[in-house]
Each structure stands twice: as structure tokens, then as C-alpha cells.
Amino acid sequence: MSLPVDPWLAPMRAALDEARAALATGDVPIGAVVADAEGRVIGRGRNVREAEADPTGHAEVVALRTAAAHRGEWRLEGCTLVVTLEPCTMCAGAAVLSRVERVVFAAFDPKAGAVGSLWDVVRDRRLNHRPEVVSGVLADESSALLGDFFAMHRQTQAE
């Protein structure tokens, strides 16, 4: 059973703020936050692959790392990972391994999504932990941000 979308609006807005901040470094505008069981944001992340030359610098991984540092442990039981785009296989695996209670995302990623689009890593019964999934929270806003970024990127490439 999924929770109503409303409790995830504020954390998704915080994730969208992180996504917008990624634009300053030329990174794809994807943002993530980790909220604890009371809804407090304990981890934040944005894509930093370009800024830090880090292939693992995805917003979800950064947010999970900061949340784990905040807690002082790698287990993020009771927490929710909120992200502006459906996680890829690496990030979906990180969500499973960190033991988050749920993954909330905005827009589906038909090219690389691993929470229902191409794969469904988080609900694979062979794994020892399967977080709940909530999708579509502020999807239009996230899709527009990504669409604008890639349109501008293509225009710059053509010049």
C-alpha cells in the first residue's frame, strides 16, 4: 500500500532545489534528499559527476552518504529517499543496500530507470530488502527542468 502523494511534496521541492543547484556546475539537474521517519531532511545531494569528475556522483548516492554521516551509520531504516528522476541501477542498488524504507521519485526515466522502467531493482524478490516505491510526485516540474537542460545542452553543442 502506498502513502498519499501529499507528504512527499515538501521533500520533493527540496530535491528540486538541489537539482536546480546542479545547473551551476553543468551537471544534469537531478536532486535528492533523504528524510527521516519524522520527515526531517537529514541528507541532501545533487549530481556532481561533472563538478567532481566522479562517475558515482549521482544525486541519490550523495544524499545517502550525507544521511548516513548525519546518522553515524550506514543503515537508513525508517528513512525515505526522495529524488527528482527515477534512480538508475547503481542508485536503486544503493537504496536497497542502505535499507531505506521507501523511494519516492518524480519522473520516470525510460532510458535508464531501475525502479520500474527498464529494471525493477528495488522490488526484486531475490534481494534481502525491498523498499516501498512512490512515483510521480511533481513529475511535470522535474521533467520540465530536465527537458530545458537538455534542450539548452543540444543548442550549445550545435553552435
Side-chain angles (χ1 to χ4, degrees):
M1 179 171 113
S2 292
L3 295 175
V5 171
D6 293 342
W8 309 117
L9 289 176
M12 186 60 76
R13 286 189 180 105
L16 283 162
D17 288 344
E18 291 294 324
R20 288 184 198 94
L23 291 169
T25 61
D27 278 285
V28 177
I30 300 171
V33 299
V34 175
D36 67 12
E38 288 75 40
R40 294 180 301 247
V41 172
I42 62 167
R44 295 178 179 273
R46 65 182 69 113
N47 272 7
V48 293
R49 292 189 317 165
E50 298 296 332
E52 297 181 9
D54 179 359
T56 67
H58 290 206
E60 301 94 323
V61 171
V62 175
L64 291 168
R65 285 178 182 155
T66 59
H70 173 83
R71 276 203 160 171
E73 66 172 323
W74 62 268
R75 288 177 193 85
L76 297 175
E77 293 161 339
C79 292
T80 300
L81 173 63
V82 180
V83 60
T84 59
L85 185 66
E86 178 184 3
C88 69
T89 52
M90 175 181 69
C91 296
V96 170
L97 293 173
S98 67
R99 310 289 197 276
V100 294
E101 185 173 325
R102 81 184 48 79
V103 175
V104 175
F105 66 91
F108 280 93
D109 183 355
K111 293 182 180 180
V115 185
S117 289
L118 290 181
W119 300 279
D120 202 351
V121 172
V122 299
R123 290 178 276 221
D124 190 318
R125 295 202 177 278
R126 295 169 292 183
L127 299 176
N128 65 337
H129 179 72
R130 289 179 295 281
E132 175 188 1
V133 175
V134 177
S135 60
V137 180
L138 298 178
D140 291 343
E141 193 170 336
S142 177
S143 294
L145 183 61
L146 287 161
D148 291 349
F149 171 81
F150 285 113
M152 190 177 353
H153 186 71
R154 283 189 297 275
Q155 182 181 359
T156 303
Q157 294 283 328
E159 293 175 353

